[in-house]
Amino acid sequence: MRARRTARWATSALVTTLALTGVLAGSAAASGPAATQGLTRSVATATGPVTHEENDRVPEGSLWTQHYFPSSDRSGTELHADVLLPEGLPKRAKVPVILSVGPYFGHSGQSGLEGWTHTGPSDRFRDFIEGTDLFDEGYAFVMVDLRGFGGSTGCLDWGGPGEQADVKAAIDWAARQPWSTGAVGLYGKSYDAVTGLIGNNLDQRALKAVVAQEPVWDMYQYIYSNGVPRPNVTGTANAYNSIATLGQLPDDDPRYVANSRYEETHPECLTQNAAGYRIADQDDEFWTSRDLAKAARGTDTPLFVTQGFIENNTKPEEMQEYLDNHRGPERGWVGQWEHVRGGDRTSDGRLSMGREGWYDETLSFYDQYLKGIRPAVRHPAYSVEDNTGAWRAQKTWPVVERAVTVPLGSGSYIDDGGLSASAATSAPAPRQGVEPSGEWHMENAPTTDRAAPRGLAEGQALLQEAGAVTSSFFVWSEPLRKAVRITGTPRVSLTAEGEGNVMLKLYDVAPDGTAVMFDEQVSLLTTGRLTVDLKATDWTLAAGHVLAVEVGSIQTGSWRDTPSGETIEVKGARLGLALDDPSDDIATGGARSPYLDTYLRQYTVDLPAGPATFTVLAGGRL
């Protein structure tokens, strides 16, 4: 962390300069009860600000106050805000506001009780506050509890119209405070990155910039995959109901404590929240009102996003649709990592995303759009890491040099969840022992995806070559003459005869017969034409490698599907790909993200290339 700098707005001797040294090791480096060993415990009110010296949970260099205001939907919902202003801010001085709106700002803990002995503002984004020297840089930081969480009343409404009204109210409230310049920027990761996307969609004049790390781009996709339930179809509702009913600390503001108990007198809130997740129809109003990607059409708030293409929690589904619909300035870090923040580090000190400068770049982004300060450093619009671990700079994402549609032909499979394949190959049952989690939310998701059983893919391919119909079939390309990158969102279309489930996978097959599964998606299937978008990806196939496509029953992963047992006939399958030429990449700073090697170990299988039936790049040119 760099030395704390003297605040630009400082005009009095009340401001002191603090020199902070050391390396920030992940987002929890300065968080938790262990970081606050003192006995100070003053509680802030709207008119009674509290400093770090009066309550050691207040970040150094700030003044903490608590406030309440109504949501914008006239429902009677009262929202709670923790405000952190720069300490020593002169009277009548105004500062821009960094705002975060979400469920994780409860004073007793983010997603569970954290052992605090006295109340104080959440330290959820202490890493961001300290990494940017936020208060010395002349910003306020405001945390607003969504309805039903922390000190806010009302029934939970996961990404829905109620929460959208909360985000609107929070932006308006932050903009009109006497200490605010009226310029607001949203910041968050995971759920409070979702509220950042919501904020952009609302298109409010006061919102000048959004930083959204690892969001969900369409809420439906977090619970279902084209009608197939995910393991968290009940767990996510349970998790947020649990967070909403967390006990708060008895020494807190009485109004805060009373609001935190809202569900005790409104138990219907928990039941209603759980009911919504059980709606499987993507076209139901419950989900169309939560389709953030579609709602982004024509929006123009400056947007800074991060997305791990291979992460197992908030996956890159409808990501490209959201970005295509967004018309404003964009910045992005996208690459091969798990569910982490831009400044997070692994236990051995390596940056989880592999790239230096997260806090400097986000501060520069806010300075540009909230203060009108021209950036001193010209950062790439998009910094992109592909599966080779190399970073490149781009003006946008994806960069598509050629779009192709390749024929995959026809085939058959039995929708049996992999039973016929495992029986014929003597491989273990593909998903034996995988149990859905009881609780699962956007900040913390268990890793339930299991690697494919050893020998399963290769065994199925051999059975297919012998003419057998099992749980899936494969199609292979000609070896590539030159390296080519698959980017954007691959799309498969096919005509099916039969009913059940379909799983679609893409493999990068090396000459030695090892293959990495790098993209997948599942869907319910009925007789007729079906089109399925896979996850967004950014994967370079080396020269001599083969692209393999698997079509079949859901055999791996963590979906809660119900196999139909039917034999599914597939005809006229086609794969749409967006291609990019890696030979003209413009390199930018960044190291290989540590999680990439973990992913490669888990998803590499034996799958020698079979008879080629299509060419990825006809003519060999992009």
Side-chain angles (χ1 to χ4, degrees):
M1 189 188 307
R2 62 181 181 274
R4 187 181 295 274
R5 292 172 286 194
T6 303
R8 295 176 183 174
W9 44 262
T11 59
S12 76
L14 291 174
V15 178
T16 59
T17 303
L18 302 177
L20 301 180
T21 59
V23 176
L24 181 64
S27 60
S31 65
T36 58
Q37 296 295 337
L39 298 177
T40 54
R41 56 184 64 195
S42 297
V43 180
T45 62
T47 56
V50 171
T51 66
H52 175 77
E53 289 69 30
E54 296 168 314
N55 185 323
D56 46 16
R57 290 186 61 182
V58 178
E60 292 181 88
S62 70
L63 288 173
W64 170 43
T65 54
Q66 297 192 73
H67 304 263
Y68 302 87
F69 57 92
S71 187
S72 64
D73 61 356
R74 300 183 180 180
S75 63
T77 297
E78 181 173 78
L79 303 178
H80 166 264
D82 286 308
V83 173
L84 299 172
L85 289 177
E87 189 176 7
L89 185 68
K91 192 174 182 179
R92 297 189 181 88
K94 297 177 182 290
V95 291
V97 181
I98 306 301
L99 169 68
S100 194
V101 186
Y104 300 128
F105 300 119
H107 294 171
S108 64
Q110 294 182 41
S111 58
L113 299 176
E114 295 175 352
W116 298 105
T117 59
H118 59 277
T119 196
S122 172
D123 66 351
R124 173 163 172 76
F125 289 119
R126 181 71 64 94
D127 68 308
F128 171 71
I129 288 171
E130 294 184 347
T132 57
D133 294 322
L134 195 65
F135 304 122
D136 280 354
E137 291 294 333
Y139 285 93
F141 190 70
V142 176
M143 296 168 281
V144 173
D145 300 315
L146 286 167
R147 60 183 60 205
F149 296 104
S152 295
T153 66
C155 289
L156 311 188
D157 190 26
W158 190 68
E163 288 193 356
Q164 293 165 28
D166 297 348
V167 174
K168 182 179 187 299
I171 294 169
D172 288 343
W173 183 86
R176 67 171 183 262
Q177 296 311 296
W179 38 261
S180 170
T181 62
V184 178
L186 282 166
Y187 184 86
K189 180 243 182 176
S190 200
Y191 202 138
D192 31 51
V194 167
T195 59
L197 298 186
I198 289 172
N200 166 71
N201 292 355
L202 294 171
D203 208 23
Q204 290 168 265
R205 180 173 294 183
L207 183 63
K208 305 301 183 182
V210 174
V211 177
Q213 302 163 86
E214 311 302 304
V216 174
W217 306 88
D218 174 0
M219 306 304 284
Y220 176 85
Q221 302 294 341
Y222 193 73
I223 305 298
Y224 294 90
S225 297
N226 303 299
V228 181
R230 291 187 166 178
N232 51 310
V233 66
T234 55
T236 296
N238 294 339
Y240 286 116
N241 282 349
S242 176
I243 294 170
T245 54
L246 276 180
Q248 297 300 327
L249 295 155
D251 67 332
D252 215 321
D253 172 45
R255 189 171 177 180
Y256 182 96
V257 174
N259 285 1
S260 74
R261 294 174 175 166
Y262 184 84
E263 287 79 12
E264 293 179 10
T265 54
H266 297 81
E268 71 279 4
C269 291
L270 306 180
T271 304
Q272 291 169 5
N273 181 51
Y277 294 80
R278 299 191 182 101
I279 300 171
D281 181 5
Q282 189 171 3
D283 294 325
D284 188 273
E285 184 181 1
F286 181 86
W287 293 118
T288 56
S289 66
R290 291 161 169 80
D291 186 346
L292 306 185
K294 184 176 182 180
R297 185 173 293 117
T299 58
D300 59 4
T301 308
L303 182 63
F304 191 161
V305 301
T306 74
Q307 179 65 62
F309 292 115
I310 55 177
E311 79 143 90
N312 73 303
N313 190 356
T314 56
K315 301 179 181 182
E317 296 166 307
E318 311 303 336
M319 170 189 178
Q320 185 177 349
E321 180 185 353
Y322 192 103
L323 296 176
D324 285 350
N325 282 339
H326 178 253
R327 299 302 182 196
E330 288 177 8
R331 185 84 58 81
W333 288 17
V334 294
Q336 315 299 322
W337 50 76
E338 71 274 49
H339 195 65
V340 292
R341 305 180 187 191
D344 278 356
R345 292 182 182 269
T346 61
S347 59
D348 60 4
R350 291 176 295 166
L351 283 161
S352 297
M353 289 188 185
R355 181 172 164 83
E356 296 277 0
W358 172 253
Y359 301 114
D360 288 332
E361 194 167 337
T362 52
L363 183 64
S364 172
F365 183 73
Y366 284 131
D367 281 349
Q368 180 178 359
Y369 293 110
L370 273 68
K371 292 183 176 181
I373 298 174
R374 186 181 181 89
V377 177
R378 187 174 181 179
H379 299 285
Y382 276 87
S383 300
V384 188
E385 180 200 21
D386 73 2
N387 58 298
T388 68
W391 285 78
R392 68 187 190 273
Q394 294 187 172
K395 293 182 179 179
T396 187
W397 185 91
V399 168
V400 181
E401 297 190 45
R402 184 174 174 183
V404 300
T405 300
V406 298
L408 302 179
S410 303
S412 302
Y413 68 91
I414 304 171
D415 182 26
D416 58 4
L419 292 179
S420 59
S422 60
T425 61
S426 300
R431 290 181 292 159
Q432 186 174 6
V434 176
E435 294 293 337
S437 171
E439 291 192 0
W440 181 320
H441 59 93
M442 279 186 272
E443 188 58 77
N444 295 294
T447 302
T448 60
D449 289 355
R450 303 287 183 89
R454 187 175 182 83
L456 178 66
E458 182 179 18
Q460 285 186 252
L462 291 172
L463 288 168
Q464 176 183 336
E465 189 176 345
V469 176
T470 63
S471 305
S472 67
F473 66 91
F474 293 86
V475 184
W476 289 272
S477 77
E478 295 278 358
L480 288 158
R481 297 179 185 178
K482 60 177 290 186
V484 64
R485 178 178 296 120
I486 296 175
T487 190
T489 308
R491 173 174 289 178
V492 173
S493 59
L494 56 86
T495 298
E497 187 174 315
E499 295 190 357
N501 307 273
V502 64
M503 183 174 223
L504 305 160
K505 293 185 178 184
L506 304 184
Y507 292 86
D508 175 1
V509 184
D512 66 0
T514 59
V516 181
M517 191 283 292
F518 67 91
D519 205 350
E520 65 180 349
Q521 190 54 279
V522 306
S523 178
L524 291 180
L525 172 148
T526 59
T527 295
R529 197 68 181 167
L530 174 70
T531 299
V532 178
D533 284 347
L534 279 68
K535 297 180 296 183
T537 189
D538 203 84
W539 195 274
T540 298
L541 303 174
H545 283 221
V546 165
L547 174 64
V549 182
E550 182 179 8
V551 181
S553 188
I554 302 174
Q555 304 176 65
T556 56
S558 55
W559 285 273
R560 295 174 68 176
D561 56 295
T562 302
S564 68
E566 292 190 23
T567 297
I568 309 296
E569 302 286 343
V570 174
K571 297 180 181 178
R574 302 173 70 84
L575 171 63
L577 297 172
L579 304 179
D580 181 32
D581 186 353
S583 68
D584 56 16
D585 287 350
I586 299 172
T588 191
R592 185 182 182 90
S593 54
Y595 182 70
L596 175 55
D597 290 318
T598 300
Y599 182 89
L600 293 175
R601 285 193 298 271
Q602 183 170 359
Y603 290 99
T604 298
V605 298
D606 291 323
L607 183 63
T613 61
F614 70 92
T615 302
V616 173
L617 194 58
R621 284 186 163 185
L622 285 170

